[in-house]
Amino acid sequence: MRYEAKNGKTNNEISNGNGTEKYKYDQFAVDDDQNGGLDSEKSDTGVKMERSLGLISGTAIIAGTMIGSGIFVSPRGVLYGAGSVGMSMVIWLACGILSMFGALTYAELGSTIPLSGAEHAYFMEAFCQDKKRRNLFGRIPAFLFDWICIFIIRTTMFAGMCFTLGTYVTQPFYPDCAPPLYLTKLVTAIAMVILCFINCMSIKFAEKIQMFMMAVKLVAAVIIVAGGCYSLSQGDTETLASGFEGTSTDTAMLVLSFYNGLWAYDGWNNLNFVTEELKNPKKNIPRAICIALPLVMIVYLSINVGYFAVLPKQEILSSDAVAVLWGKRILGVMQWIMPMFVICSCFGSANGSLFSSGRLSYVAARDGHLPSGISFLHVQRHTPIPSMIFTLTLSTLLIIPFDLGALIGIFSFTSWIFYGVSAATVLLLRYRNRHKKLDSYKVPVFIPILVILLSTFLVLVPLIYLPKPEYKYVVLFMAVGLCIYFLFVYRKIKVPFVDSATRLMQKLLVVVPPSQEKKLLD
């Protein structure tokens, strides 16, 4: 491998055994941002993401990420906040409907702006009017989203899913007590590293894992539902018959119940993070959502009926591993298969989460909100290896100080701030493009309005009635993000050693800047 400087350019020559391939790119294009943001006018490597995802793959990414750790962990939190079996079922249904509304809102955004990065791309289009994206003050919404989402939301989601996996892996070895927390976190970290390696090596392999794990999850759901039906046929209806007895009247507790339910449903916007890798996104995003969301709602409601048909209310409230407890009661000597199904389910969900989360770091770096090296792609595999490693590092750091309950609270509170802003962006873009004929999908206007109102409620109620320290830390972290923005994006203060670190990373990982083929709306 050889690096030469010629007229301010760098020729990266990589031998492939048959000859030498050259990739020309500017030496980190440091004039466009604070520490090496890629300048789209100068960089042209020919290396880019490939459109390899179809409708089936897109549906698997959404449903495969949603059906995972949440349905095996959240039933306890939903029931605890709801207070009754009947109200918990209502909340599961309401969370599904709200998630469907949110997904349809994002379907319009994704088909109107077919760029990867979800909210990052939408905020850049909505608030950065100039085509070269040099409107620095207009970058603030997108930068704050990147700052919060990369360091809190997406990493928390990935860490939480892997944490659930670690819990279910270690629990069978400690049947009479909770496993040591350090051991659970160690297994969690190992799972994170394995998933990162898979996603760095092959997009196709990660896609196949997602589809296979999706099938495994549906098999697990069928087993739980069938076991519940068998139990009901034996007359075990006491838990379900309790109905709304004991329903909570505490608003804060009901919101906490919603948070746990929404955690289980989250992942409905994952396809929007990988839009540039999706074939025909204007049609396939709405179609994938309309297939995946109703499927997930049916699965979740059916699984909860299966739980309540077998387990008493108090046992569900006292168990961190509801599915394992269910297996012990109904499967007998085959009870070991349930932890295996849960582990596979969590593995698939975490795979989908990392797949999409790495793309956010990639596009944020590509637009100058992170060091440009994070946006580089492997010259042969075309995978965003630096962004994957970056996401892995942040997620691993999160599992050290927090437990699963804290991760769920932080994630749900923070994510719904930006879901509400994104719904408002739909209205803004629709007004701005009112004189244009766009062939994109359009959601009924009452849906984004409803998402705005509900997200405001879900954010304000915990701050007022249940002010946990984690929520205050999130607000403080946003304030710190503003300071970072004005120092390193607006003022363009360069961080020492970033350029040399980027060169070293290129040599170690064999990565180059991506080709710039993004087009803004006229």
Side-chain angles (χ1 to χ4, degrees):
M1 186 178 297
R2 185 173 75 232
Y3 293 82
E4 298 178 352
K6 296 181 180 179
N7 300 324
K9 301 285 183 179
T10 302
N11 291 339
N12 180 11
E13 299 185 359
I14 301 173
S15 175
N16 60 6
N18 300 319
T20 300
E21 299 175 12
K22 283 190 176 182
Y23 299 90
K24 293 186 177 181
Y25 52 90
D26 181 75
Q27 191 170 4
F28 313 116
V30 295
D31 60 327
D32 192 44
D33 67 84
Q34 77 280 17
N35 47 15
L38 190 62
D39 192 329
S40 62
E41 296 180 20
K42 297 182 179 180
S43 174
D44 186 14
T45 66
V47 179
K48 61 180 182 178
M49 296 284 197
E50 298 178 352
R51 291 192 181 274
S52 60
L53 303 176
L55 177 60
I56 296 176
S57 300
T59 303
I61 287 176
I62 297 174
T65 305
M66 293 175 70
I67 304 174
S69 60
I71 191 59
F72 305 113
V73 173
S74 295
R76 175 190 178 187
V78 172
L79 182 58
Y80 176 75
S84 69
V85 172
M87 180 54 70
S88 71
M89 294 296 290
V90 170
I91 288 176
W92 278 106
L93 178 61
C95 287
I97 294 173
L98 178 55
S99 298
M100 186 70 184
F101 286 170
L104 291 174
T105 301
Y106 273 60
E108 177 169 339
L109 287 170
S111 60
T112 303
I113 306 170
L115 298 175
S116 293
E119 291 94 334
H120 168 91
Y122 310 147
F123 295 165
M124 290 290 283
E125 292 288 356
F127 301 109
C128 291
Q129 294 296 302
D130 58 300
K131 293 187 178 182
K132 293 183 180 179
R133 296 187 173 184
R134 300 182 188 277
N135 182 351
L136 293 175
F137 283 103
R139 285 174 179 252
I140 289 179
F143 179 85
L144 280 182
F145 169 76
D146 295 341
W147 176 254
I148 295 295
C149 199
I150 290 172
F151 286 92
I152 296 181
I153 298 177
R154 302 301 300 185
T155 47
T156 300
M157 184 180 188
F158 178 55
M161 291 175 175
C162 290
F163 203 109
T164 305
L165 185 152
T167 300
Y168 274 86
V169 168
T170 55
Q171 185 65 58
F173 297 99
Y174 297 86
D176 300 323
C177 63
L181 189 58
Y182 77 87
L183 182 60
T184 300
K185 291 185 176 183
L186 177 61
V187 173
T188 300
I190 293 173
M192 288 178 169
V193 172
I194 293 173
L195 284 164
C196 182
F197 178 79
I198 290 172
N199 280 270
C200 288
M201 290 299 100
S202 172
I203 293 174
K204 286 286 187 181
F205 187 51
E207 179 186 341
K208 289 178 181 178
I209 286 178
Q210 194 68 11
M211 289 190 286
F212 175 76
M213 293 302 178
M214 178 63 199
V216 171
K217 295 171 188 185
L218 293 179
V219 171
V222 169
I223 291 175
I224 294 175
V225 173
C229 291
Y230 172 78
S231 184
L232 289 174
S233 68
Q234 300 298 307
D236 297 329
T237 59
E238 182 180 350
T239 304
L240 286 170
S242 64
F244 290 87
E245 180 182 342
T247 299
S248 175
T249 57
D250 187 337
T251 303
M253 293 301 294
L254 290 173
V255 170
L256 181 64
S257 180
F258 260 96
Y259 272 2
N260 279 273
L262 292 171
W263 160 264
Y265 276 103
D266 209 274
W268 45 262
N269 62 335
N270 267 8
L271 198 58
N272 295 74
F273 284 93
V274 297
T275 305
E276 292 172 32
E277 298 168 72
L278 182 67
K279 301 172 185 175
N280 195 3
K282 290 186 178 182
K283 292 183 178 180
N284 281 337
I285 288 180
R287 288 173 178 173
I289 287 171
C290 290
I291 294 172
L293 267 294
L295 172 64
V296 173
M297 289 174 63
I298 293 171
V299 169
Y300 278 8
L301 291 171
S302 300
I303 287 177
N304 273 280
V305 171
Y307 286 151
F308 291 133
V310 174
L311 300 173
K313 175 180 173 181
Q314 292 304 318
E315 290 193 15
I316 294 176
L317 291 173
S318 63
S319 175
D320 288 324
V322 178
V324 172
L325 182 60
W326 182 94
K328 289 180 179 179
R329 287 296 182 86
I330 203 75
L331 297 179
V333 295
M334 296 296 293
Q335 61 181 271
W336 58 270
I337 68 171
M338 192 50 60
M340 294 300 299
F341 275 127
V342 175
I343 291 169
C344 291
S345 182
C346 294
F347 191 84
S349 295
N351 178 67
S353 176
L354 179 62
F355 186 88
S356 57
S357 298
R359 271 57 179 178
L360 175 59
S361 300
Y362 162 78
V363 296
R366 190 177 64 182
D367 280 338
H369 292 176
L370 289 174
S372 66
I374 296 176
S375 71
F376 288 8
L377 301 174
H378 192 275
V379 295
Q380 293 176 333
R381 304 180 190 278
H382 295 189
T383 53
I385 293 178
S387 68
M388 288 294 177
I389 295 175
F390 180 69
T391 303
L392 169 68
T393 303
L394 294 177
S395 300
T396 305
L397 292 175
L398 268 180
I399 67 172
I400 296 174
F402 295 114
D403 60 15
L404 184 58
L407 290 174
I408 291 175
I410 294 172
F411 171 83
S412 299
F413 170 78
T414 311
S415 60
W416 279 96
I417 296 175
F418 291 104
Y419 292 159
V421 177
S422 297
T425 302
V426 169
L427 303 180
L428 174 63
L429 290 174
R430 193 177 285 192
Y431 175 78
R432 184 180 296 165
N433 299 320
R434 63 190 182 280
H435 300 307
K436 299 179 181 179
K437 292 183 178 180
L438 301 177
D439 60 349
S440 58
Y441 167 81
K442 286 189 179 295
V443 68
V445 70
F446 79 90
I447 290 181
I449 293 175
L450 187 59
V451 172
I452 294 171
L453 296 176
L454 289 173
S455 63
T456 302
F457 175 79
L458 289 171
V459 169
L460 291 181
V461 168
L463 283 176
I464 297 172
Y465 295 102
L466 201 65
K468 293 184 177 181
E470 298 96 301
Y471 303 154
K472 298 177 182 178
Y473 296 154
V474 170
V475 176
L476 179 62
F477 196 70
M478 293 180 71
V480 173
L482 283 175
C483 297
I484 297 293
Y485 172 82
F486 281 105
L487 287 174
F488 299 106
V489 177
Y490 181 71
R491 300 292 298 177
K492 297 185 179 180
I493 297 176
K494 296 181 181 179
V495 178
F497 311 117
V498 168
D499 286 356
S500 58
T502 304
R503 294 187 188 95
L504 177 61
M505 179 197 69
Q506 286 188 271
K507 294 178 181 179
L508 292 175
L509 302 180
V510 196
V511 292
V512 293
S515 62
Q516 301 296 293
E517 297 187 354
K518 299 173 290 149
K519 295 181 180 180
L520 303 183
L521 293 176
D522 292 329

mmCIF file of all heavy atoms in Angstrom, residues 58-84:
data_model
loop_
_atom_site.group_PDB
_atom_site.id
_atom_site.type_symbol
_atom_site.label_atom_id
_atom_site.label_comp_id
_atom_site.label_asym_id
_atom_site.label_seq_id
_atom_site.Cartn_x
_atom_site.Cartn_y
_atom_site.Cartn_z
ATOM 1 N N GLY A 58 -36.167 -5.140 3.184
ATOM 2 C CA GLY A 58 -36.611 -3.955 3.920
ATOM 3 C C GLY A 58 -37.621 -4.294 4.998
ATOM 4 O O GLY A 58 -37.556 -3.773 6.122
ATOM 5 N N THR A 59 -38.561 -5.171 4.672
ATOM 6 C CA THR A 59 -39.540 -5.607 5.666
ATOM 7 C C THR A 59 -38.860 -6.345 6.812
ATOM 8 O O THR A 59 -39.208 -6.158 7.988
ATOM 9 C CB THR A 59 -40.585 -6.518 5.010
ATOM 10 O OG1 THR A 59 -41.201 -5.829 3.926
ATOM 11 C CG2 THR A 59 -41.652 -6.930 6.018
ATOM 12 N N ALA A 60 -37.857 -7.169 6.480
ATOM 13 C CA ALA A 60 -37.130 -7.909 7.516
ATOM 14 C C ALA A 60 -36.342 -6.979 8.415
ATOM 15 O O ALA A 60 -36.223 -7.226 9.622
ATOM 16 C CB ALA A 60 -36.191 -8.930 6.860
ATOM 17 N N ILE A 61 -35.794 -5.894 7.857
ATOM 18 C CA ILE A 61 -35.052 -4.935 8.682
ATOM 19 C C ILE A 61 -35.979 -4.276 9.697
ATOM 20 O O ILE A 61 -35.636 -4.117 10.868
ATOM 21 C CB ILE A 61 -34.368 -3.883 7.788
ATOM 22 C CG1 ILE A 61 -33.176 -4.504 7.072
ATOM 23 C CG2 ILE A 61 -33.915 -2.674 8.610
ATOM 24 C CD1 ILE A 61 -32.493 -3.574 6.097
ATOM 25 N N ILE A 62 -37.186 -3.898 9.253
ATOM 26 C CA ILE A 62 -38.130 -3.243 10.166
ATOM 27 C C ILE A 62 -38.662 -4.235 11.201
ATOM 28 O O ILE A 62 -38.490 -4.059 12.411
ATOM 29 C CB ILE A 62 -39.302 -2.623 9.383
ATOM 30 C CG1 ILE A 62 -38.807 -1.523 8.439
ATOM 31 C CG2 ILE A 62 -40.325 -2.023 10.360
ATOM 32 C CD1 ILE A 62 -39.887 -0.960 7.537
ATOM 33 N N ALA A 63 -39.321 -5.288 10.714
ATOM 34 C CA ALA A 63 -39.938 -6.247 11.632
ATOM 35 C C ALA A 63 -38.887 -7.008 12.425
ATOM 36 O O ALA A 63 -39.080 -7.300 13.613
ATOM 37 C CB ALA A 63 -40.816 -7.224 10.850
ATOM 38 N N GLY A 64 -37.756 -7.315 11.786
ATOM 39 C CA GLY A 64 -36.711 -8.073 12.466
ATOM 40 C C GLY A 64 -36.053 -7.307 13.585
ATOM 41 O O GLY A 64 -35.579 -7.898 14.560
ATOM 42 N N THR A 65 -36.012 -5.984 13.465
ATOM 43 C CA THR A 65 -35.471 -5.163 14.548
ATOM 44 C C THR A 65 -36.512 -4.942 15.637
ATOM 45 O O THR A 65 -36.194 -4.939 16.827
ATOM 46 C CB THR A 65 -34.999 -3.798 14.008
ATOM 47 O OG1 THR A 65 -34.072 -4.015 12.939
ATOM 48 C CG2 THR A 65 -34.317 -2.989 15.096
ATOM 49 N N MET A 66 -37.759 -4.750 15.243
ATOM 50 C CA MET A 66 -38.822 -4.502 16.224
ATOM 51 C C MET A 66 -39.073 -5.731 17.089
ATOM 52 O O MET A 66 -39.150 -5.631 18.318
ATOM 53 C CB MET A 66 -40.102 -4.084 15.497
ATOM 54 C CG MET A 66 -40.018 -2.733 14.807
ATOM 55 S SD MET A 66 -41.494 -2.339 13.852
ATOM 56 C CE MET A 66 -42.691 -2.069 15.163
ATOM 57 N N ILE A 67 -39.257 -6.892 16.446
ATOM 58 C CA ILE A 67 -39.518 -8.116 17.211
ATOM 59 C C ILE A 67 -38.192 -8.620 17.750
ATOM 60 O O ILE A 67 -37.408 -9.226 17.024
ATOM 61 C CB ILE A 67 -40.187 -9.192 16.341
ATOM 62 C CG1 ILE A 67 -41.474 -8.667 15.719
ATOM 63 C CG2 ILE A 67 -40.480 -10.439 17.179
ATOM 64 C CD1 ILE A 67 -42.120 -9.620 14.747
ATOM 65 N N GLY A 68 -37.937 -8.375 18.975
ATOM 66 C CA GLY A 68 -36.653 -8.763 19.550
ATOM 67 C C GLY A 68 -36.681 -8.718 21.048
ATOM 68 O O GLY A 68 -37.566 -9.297 21.697
ATOM 69 N N SER A 69 -35.741 -7.984 21.605
ATOM 70 C CA SER A 69 -35.606 -7.977 23.053
ATOM 71 C C SER A 69 -36.828 -7.403 23.750
ATOM 72 O O SER A 69 -37.175 -7.818 24.852
ATOM 73 C CB SER A 69 -34.361 -7.167 23.438
ATOM 74 O OG SER A 69 -34.471 -5.828 22.976
ATOM 75 N N GLY A 70 -37.498 -6.434 23.101
ATOM 76 C CA GLY A 70 -38.595 -5.736 23.767
ATOM 77 C C GLY A 70 -39.723 -6.630 24.230
ATOM 78 O O GLY A 70 -40.173 -6.539 25.372
ATOM 79 N N ILE A 71 -40.196 -7.515 23.363
ATOM 80 C CA ILE A 71 -41.350 -8.339 23.713
ATOM 81 C C ILE A 71 -41.013 -9.361 24.793
ATOM 82 O O ILE A 71 -41.893 -9.918 25.446
ATOM 83 C CB ILE A 71 -41.899 -9.045 22.455
ATOM 84 C CG1 ILE A 71 -43.265 -9.691 22.744
ATOM 85 C CG2 ILE A 71 -40.905 -10.071 21.923
ATOM 86 C CD1 ILE A 71 -44.312 -8.726 23.209
ATOM 87 N N PHE A 72 -39.727 -9.615 25.038
ATOM 88 C CA PHE A 72 -39.322 -10.553 26.076
ATOM 89 C C PHE A 72 -38.935 -9.856 27.382
ATOM 90 O O PHE A 72 -38.700 -10.504 28.388
ATOM 91 C CB PHE A 72 -38.156 -11.407 25.582
ATOM 92 C CG PHE A 72 -38.453 -12.118 24.301
ATOM 93 C CD1 PHE A 72 -37.774 -11.793 23.139
ATOM 94 C CD2 PHE A 72 -39.428 -13.093 24.242
ATOM 95 C CE1 PHE A 72 -38.046 -12.446 21.948
ATOM 96 C CE2 PHE A 72 -39.710 -13.753 23.049
ATOM 97 C CZ PHE A 72 -39.024 -13.423 21.898
ATOM 98 N N VAL A 73 -38.849 -8.520 27.333
ATOM 99 C CA VAL A 73 -38.485 -7.748 28.527
ATOM 100 C C VAL A 73 -39.589 -6.782 28.930
ATOM 101 O O VAL A 73 -39.930 -6.654 30.111
ATOM 102 C CB VAL A 73 -37.172 -6.961 28.277
ATOM 103 C CG1 VAL A 73 -36.876 -6.023 29.443
ATOM 104 C CG2 VAL A 73 -36.012 -7.914 28.067
ATOM 105 N N SER A 74 -40.186 -6.110 27.955
ATOM 106 C CA SER A 74 -41.136 -5.028 28.231
ATOM 107 C C SER A 74 -42.452 -5.449 28.874
ATOM 108 O O SER A 74 -43.089 -4.614 29.522
ATOM 109 C CB SER A 74 -41.423 -4.251 26.939
ATOM 110 O OG SER A 74 -40.265 -3.593 26.489
ATOM 111 N N PRO A 75 -42.961 -6.682 28.686
ATOM 112 C CA PRO A 75 -44.243 -7.013 29.326
ATOM 113 C C PRO A 75 -44.278 -6.713 30.815
ATOM 114 O O PRO A 75 -45.303 -6.273 31.338
ATOM 115 C CB PRO A 75 -44.389 -8.514 29.049
ATOM 116 C CG PRO A 75 -43.700 -8.698 27.746
ATOM 117 C CD PRO A 75 -42.516 -7.774 27.795
ATOM 118 N N ARG A 76 -43.182 -6.933 31.504
ATOM 119 C CA ARG A 76 -43.150 -6.625 32.934
ATOM 120 C C ARG A 76 -43.309 -5.126 33.163
ATOM 121 O O ARG A 76 -44.118 -4.705 33.992
ATOM 122 C CB ARG A 76 -41.827 -7.093 33.530
ATOM 123 C CG ARG A 76 -41.659 -6.715 34.998
ATOM 124 C CD ARG A 76 -40.249 -6.972 35.467
ATOM 125 N NE ARG A 76 -40.059 -6.577 36.855
ATOM 126 C CZ ARG A 76 -38.895 -6.567 37.462
ATOM 127 N NH1 ARG A 76 -37.794 -6.923 36.814
ATOM 128 N NH2 ARG A 76 -38.798 -6.196 38.718
ATOM 129 N N GLY A 77 -42.559 -4.290 32.422
ATOM 130 C CA GLY A 77 -42.643 -2.845 32.598
ATOM 131 C C GLY A 77 -43.988 -2.284 32.202
ATOM 132 O O GLY A 77 -44.515 -1.385 32.860
ATOM 133 N N VAL A 78 -44.564 -2.812 31.124
ATOM 134 C CA VAL A 78 -45.882 -2.346 30.685
ATOM 135 C C VAL A 78 -46.936 -2.684 31.728
ATOM 136 O O VAL A 78 -47.772 -1.844 32.105
ATOM 137 C CB VAL A 78 -46.252 -2.967 29.322
ATOM 138 C CG1 VAL A 78 -47.702 -2.627 28.956
ATOM 139 C CG2 VAL A 78 -45.299 -2.483 28.236
ATOM 140 N N LEU A 79 -46.908 -3.927 32.236
ATOM 141 C CA LEU A 79 -47.886 -4.354 33.241
ATOM 142 C C LEU A 79 -47.711 -3.585 34.548
ATOM 143 O O LEU A 79 -48.698 -3.202 35.181
ATOM 144 C CB LEU A 79 -47.748 -5.849 33.494
ATOM 145 C CG LEU A 79 -48.727 -6.484 34.485
ATOM 146 C CD1 LEU A 79 -50.164 -6.266 34.036
ATOM 147 C CD2 LEU A 79 -48.430 -7.970 34.648
ATOM 148 N N TYR A 80 -46.456 -3.325 34.923
ATOM 149 C CA TYR A 80 -46.190 -2.588 36.168
ATOM 150 C C TYR A 80 -46.763 -1.169 36.098
ATOM 151 O O TYR A 80 -47.400 -0.703 37.048
ATOM 152 C CB TYR A 80 -44.687 -2.528 36.411
ATOM 153 C CG TYR A 80 -44.295 -1.702 37.614
ATOM 154 C CD1 TYR A 80 -44.480 -2.190 38.903
ATOM 155 C CD2 TYR A 80 -43.740 -0.441 37.458
ATOM 156 C CE1 TYR A 80 -44.131 -1.426 40.012
ATOM 157 C CE2 TYR A 80 -43.381 0.332 38.555
ATOM 158 C CZ TYR A 80 -43.569 -0.163 39.836
ATOM 159 O OH TYR A 80 -43.222 0.594 40.922
ATOM 160 N N GLY A 81 -46.562 -0.489 34.981
ATOM 161 C CA GLY A 81 -47.083 0.871 34.849
ATOM 162 C C GLY A 81 -48.583 0.908 34.650
ATOM 163 O O GLY A 81 -49.256 1.825 35.137
ATOM 164 N N ALA A 82 -49.127 -0.083 33.921
ATOM 165 C CA ALA A 82 -50.573 -0.101 33.646
ATOM 166 C C ALA A 82 -51.378 -0.509 34.864
ATOM 167 O O ALA A 82 -52.489 -0.016 35.084
ATOM 168 C CB ALA A 82 -50.863 -1.048 32.491
ATOM 169 N N GLY A 83 -50.847 -1.423 35.658
ATOM 170 C CA GLY A 83 -51.532 -1.852 36.874
ATOM 171 C C GLY A 83 -52.488 -3.003 36.682
ATOM 172 O O GLY A 83 -52.833 -3.688 37.644
ATOM 173 N N SER A 84 -52.947 -3.226 35.467
ATOM 174 C CA SER A 84 -53.902 -4.310 35.222
ATOM 175 C C SER A 84 -53.611 -4.962 33.880
ATOM 176 O O SER A 84 -52.979 -4.365 32.992
ATOM 177 C CB SER A 84 -55.340 -3.783 35.238
ATOM 178 O OG SER A 84 -55.579 -2.945 34.115
#
